[in-house]
């Protein structure tokens, strides 16, 4: 029997018949619903908490401001002051920030008061020093002045007992100011998510090593480790492994005790040398996700001794896109920060493109003069385009004809943090 090639068909580049390609949004919902936080909890002083995920709601111990105070330098008295020229005797002494006036200011009298000072008893209103003339014994100014003018009420910013920061929040420097101001010195936070990164493929060599015919340098590992560091998780370098199932098994076994999630690249399809998917399938806890997106071949998702494994495609462009679009929000859930969609925005296209229906597409893009430019080639091996780009343009699942100036959704690389 002679072997005949299968007939070519009109739709030979279409998606394989009989295979269900999961739309990106459906895949994302599945991920969101199936994952849960896995990180432990510890208490850290404010100085070590930036970038960590809050483990529980934080409640103000003290109001801000804690007591009524003055927002300006001036003179305080009991308001309001009526219309017209006002003259008031000054009491002796003054109120300054941190040095309160002890005693009561009698009605009709005023006291020298400086920004941030607690209002003395008998004072609820402050006139700006620029609006006053004084001889040291008395002040004179023009009314009217509303009661409470130029003062801050106790708790007008935050009341004691208010929730100031919700569980799941990634702590910012401004949050530290809020926590400190409301009497909090340490925060309950989740331990950082440990993310293992492993490259697979017989062809891979380490950057800097000699590389011969058929060999290429491992580009994914430094990229993914760097990306994870920026995202606020703890990258763990699991190294490189050839296309060898028992080596891969050993590495997975060792990694399972060390990390909370494993990202592999390469070997995730269904080919002879695709050992990541084969090994995960052996354990029975593997799902091959044929996700309708470009760039990106099937994503192999599995559990190894309870640790989620994301088998990313080997092509660096596809590996990065799949990490940003799928692994990153999944890591947010595992880390306790919850599911977050990247913050994109619409900009006019500086390109023209026809797109077929069926797959979501992510193009390497950047903004210049308010428009989204895309890289000259969509080849998924073009690493230079990843570096050229400053984000991705997302094109929806449907067919589209994008013309110059049409709005497109731009997702800056910087919007993909936890
Ligand atoms: P695979 O998914 O293993 O079939 O790999 C797809 C393509 O990506 C092949 O051309 C691989 O040589 C390439 N590739 C796989 N892993 C890496 C890596 N770590 N760095 C650069 N290229 C890679
Ligand atoms: Mg490979």
């Amino acid at each position: 029997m002679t072997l005949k090639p299968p007939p070519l068909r009109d739709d030979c580049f279409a998606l394989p018949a009989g295979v269900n390609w999961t739309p990106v949004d459906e895949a994302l919902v599945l991920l969101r619903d199936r994952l849960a936080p896995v990180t432990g909890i510890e208490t850290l002083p404010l100085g070590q908490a930036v970038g960590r995920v809050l483990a529980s709601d934080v409640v103000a111990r003290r109001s801000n401001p804690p007591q009524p105070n003055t927002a300006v330098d001036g003179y305080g008295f009991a308001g309001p002051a009526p219309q017209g020229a006002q003259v008031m005797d000054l009491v002796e002494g003054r109120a300054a920030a941190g040095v309160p006036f002890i005693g009561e200011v009698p009605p009709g009298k005023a006291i020298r008061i400086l920004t941030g000072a607690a209002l003395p008893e008998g004072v609820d209103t402050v006139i700006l020093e620029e609006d006053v003339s004084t001889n040291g014994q008395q002040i004179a100014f023009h009314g009217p002045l509303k009661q409470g003018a130029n003062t801050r009420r106790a708790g007008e910013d935050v009341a004691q007992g208010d929730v100031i920061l919700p569980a799941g929040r990634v702590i910012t420097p401004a949050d530290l100011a809020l926590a400190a101001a409301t009497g909090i010195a340490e925060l309950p936070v989740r331990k950082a998510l440990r993310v293992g990164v492993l490259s697979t493929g017989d062809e891979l060599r380490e950057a800097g090593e000699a590389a011969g015919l058929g060999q290429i340098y491992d580009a994914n590992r430094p990229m993914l480790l760097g990306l994870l560091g920026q995202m606020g998780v703890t990258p763990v370098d699991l190294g490189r492994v050839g296309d060898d199932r028992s080596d891969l098994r050993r590495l997975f076994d060792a990694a399972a005790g060390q990390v909370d999630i494993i990202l592999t690249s390469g070997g995730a399809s269904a080919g002879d040398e695709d050992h990541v998917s084969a090994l995960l399938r052996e354990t029975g806890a593997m799902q091959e996700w044929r996700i309708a997106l470009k760039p990106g071949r099937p994503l192999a998702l599995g559990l190894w001794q309870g640790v989620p494994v994301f088998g990313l495609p080997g092509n660096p462009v596809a590996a990065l896109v799949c990490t940003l679009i799928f692994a990153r929000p999944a890591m947010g859930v595992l880390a306790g920060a919850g599911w977050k969609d990247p913050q994109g925005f619409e900009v006019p296209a500086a390109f023209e493109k026809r797109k077929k229906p069926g797959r979501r597409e992510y193009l390497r893009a950047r903004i210049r003069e308010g428009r989204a430019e895309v890289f000259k080639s969509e080849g998924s091996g073009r690493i230079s385009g990843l570096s050229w780009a400053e984000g991705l343009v997302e094109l929806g699942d449907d067919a589209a004809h994008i013309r110059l100036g049409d709005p497109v959704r731009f997702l800056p690389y910087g919007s993909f943090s936890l």
Side-chain angles (χ1 to χ4, degrees):
M1 197 169 86
T2 51
L3 202 56
K4 266 202 324 207
L8 277 183
R9 297 168 26 170
D10 283 351
D11 60 351
C12 66
F13 294 118
L15 304 175
V19 172
N20 280 328
W21 287 76
T22 311
V24 170
D25 286 339
E26 240 171 71
L28 292 174
V29 168
L30 286 172
L31 276 180
R32 188 179 65 197
D33 292 350
R34 288 173 188 188
L35 296 171
V38 296
T39 44
I41 294 171
E42 61 187 336
T43 299
L44 287 183
L46 296 186
Q48 292 170 33
V50 164
R52 289 296 197 91
V53 175
L54 260 190
S56 50
D57 289 355
V58 175
V59 168
R61 290 216 181 119
R62 195 180 197 222
S63 296
N64 182 53
Q67 62 270 310
N69 67 25
T70 172
V72 299
D73 288 346
Y75 297 86
F77 53 88
Q83 175 102 36
Q86 308 294 322
V87 176
M88 290 180 183
D89 288 341
L90 281 174
V91 302
E92 212 165 297
R94 60 169 208 171
V99 192
F101 176 81
I102 310 296
E104 193 176 339
V105 177
K109 297 205 173 192
I111 184 171
R112 176 73 173 140
I113 190 165
L114 301 175
T115 304
L119 298 184
E121 260 183 80
V123 171
D124 61 13
T125 303
V126 175
I127 177 111
L128 268 173
E129 73 179 16
E130 289 86 338
D131 294 341
V132 163
S133 51
T134 179
N135 57 10
Q137 312 296 316
Q138 291 183 308
I139 57 168
F141 61 92
H142 291 290
L145 199 64
K146 276 197 233 151
Q147 189 166 34
N150 297 314
T151 67
R152 306 171 179 137
R153 280 179 293 107
E156 72 172 23
D157 181 26
V158 177
Q160 184 181 5
D162 281 356
V163 172
I164 50 166
L165 298 167
R169 181 172 174 88
V170 179
I171 298 161
T172 67
D175 295 344
L176 301 186
L178 180 57
T182 53
I184 287 150
E186 35 184 46
L187 293 169
V189 296
R190 295 219 171 242
K191 294 200 169 137
L193 190 77
R194 294 160 306 167
V195 183
V197 175
L198 176 68
S199 291
T200 74
D202 282 338
E203 73 278 32
L204 301 180
R205 287 293 170 272
E206 198 72 6
E209 282 178 7
L213 190 65
Q215 298 180 326
I216 62 169
Y217 291 115
D218 178 1
N220 290 342
R221 217 164 90 249
M223 169 176 72
L224 295 176
L225 290 168
L227 177 69
L228 294 168
Q230 283 189 339
M231 279 183 181
V233 299
T234 301
V236 178
D237 189 353
L238 301 177
R240 222 164 13 90
V241 66
D243 289 311
D244 180 290
R245 210 167 298 181
S246 54
D247 286 351
L248 190 59
R249 183 195 305 274
R250 250 194 314 279
L251 258 153
F252 276 1
D253 282 343
Q258 274 187 63
V259 299
D260 302 308
I261 173 177
I262 301 172
L263 304 185
T264 67
S265 65
S269 310
D272 296 347
E273 296 297 340
D274 288 321
H275 296 288
V276 172
S277 41
L279 191 58
L280 291 174
R281 202 175 294 115
E282 265 179 36
T283 72
M286 142 95 184
Q287 291 293 326
E288 193 180 330
W289 289 32
R290 296 165 194 274
I291 299 170
L293 103 153
K294 185 180 166 192
R297 297 306 304 166
L299 197 59
L301 291 185
L303 283 182
W304 191 266
Q305 295 171 22
V307 175
V309 180
F310 272 64
L312 302 164
N315 273 310
V317 177
L320 183 69
V321 168
C322 287
T323 303
L324 295 178
I325 302 302
F326 298 105
R328 171 223 157 240
M331 290 188 290
V333 176
L334 296 171
W339 185 273
K340 280 186 215 141
D341 295 314
Q343 292 294 308
F345 51 90
E346 298 221 317
V347 277
F351 62 93
E352 171 144 1
K353 179 181 161 69
R354 276 179 196 279
K355 175 189 172 300
K356 293 202 186 105
R359 288 214 250 174
R360 173 135 346 150
E361 289 190 26
Y362 291 95
L363 309 176
R364 281 149 281 179
R366 63 185 195 185
I367 305 250
R368 288 292 179 275
E369 288 161 14
R371 295 170 154 238
E373 298 179 344
V374 294
F375 191 57
K376 60 184 185 226
S377 160
E378 291 182 17
S380 73
R382 298 283 195 111
I383 300 175
S384 67
L386 279 182
S387 166
W388 172 93
E390 294 165 4
L392 302 172
V393 156
E394 182 181 64
L395 304 180
D397 302 358
D398 299 334
H401 181 187
I402 291 137
R403 296 177 187 83
L404 285 178
D406 283 354
V408 289
R409 192 162 131 82
F410 180 73
L411 306 170
Y413 283 153
S415 70
F416 292 98
S417 57
L418 265 197

